[in-house]
Amino acid sequence: MLSFTRYVFSCLFTIVFFLPAVAYAAQDAQSILIICSYNPAAHQTSVTISDFMDEYTKCGGKYNIEIENMNCKSFSEAPLWSGMMTQILAKYQGGKQQPAQIILLGQEAWAAYLSQRDSMRVKVPVMCSLVSSNVVILPEDTVGDLDSWLPGSVDIFEDHMNIPELQSGFINHYNIGDNVRMIRAFYPETKHIAFISDNTYGGVTMQALVRKEMKNFPDLDLMGGRRIIEHV
């Protein structure tokens, strides 16, 4: 039983982009749908939602705000997240229930949306925050050994993902190449680099990006796979 709860860029830079969203809005839409990866009461999520609602009110916004919580926990549940997103979106498809806009907060909600968006019958303008440009597409079914799964990294900009409904957002972009060049500038004799992260979706996504970018430095050895890194 899939469970979710409903409530009424290391060298890093943040990409902020804004495009007109009116063309996608349904005329009879009466709400803005916010889909969170975690409990909306969590500090970072709560602050983001509060700031949005304050600005929305100042701008004269009139639509109701609907908040859905995917309640993502362990990465072992990752194969279920797309299904959670499908269930949430199904509740808001068609008629007055269809939102004027969807806001995705958090890497897990972002990945779940991107992993199944092609099957959506209706698309409305999408915003995102607390996410990064590099993503890992979620598995459609249970992976045999998720602890050692080595997925590929996809960049929504560099890999030209076609997401016309994505209208605006705050997206972190991690510059792994400049990190490596900085390391070599300080330590020219470097031969091995170890990347350590946790075993969350964000950690797995960063590991996938580092593996991808390190192919540009064939003279350097990236130490360890996921199973080794997790037990350091």
Side-chain angles (χ1 to χ4, degrees), residues 212-227:
K212 176 182 178 181
E213 294 298 316
M214 286 300 292
K215 293 178 181 178
N216 296 319
F217 302 92
D219 56 323
L220 292 176
D221 174 40
L222 180 62
M223 298 174 59
R226 279 195 56 210
R227 189 179 293 277

Side-chain angles (χ1 to χ4, degrees), residues 11 19 26 32 75-76 106 131 136 153 210:
C11 290
L19 296 171
I32 292 177
F75 183 60
S76 62
V131 304
V136 165
S153 178
V210 170

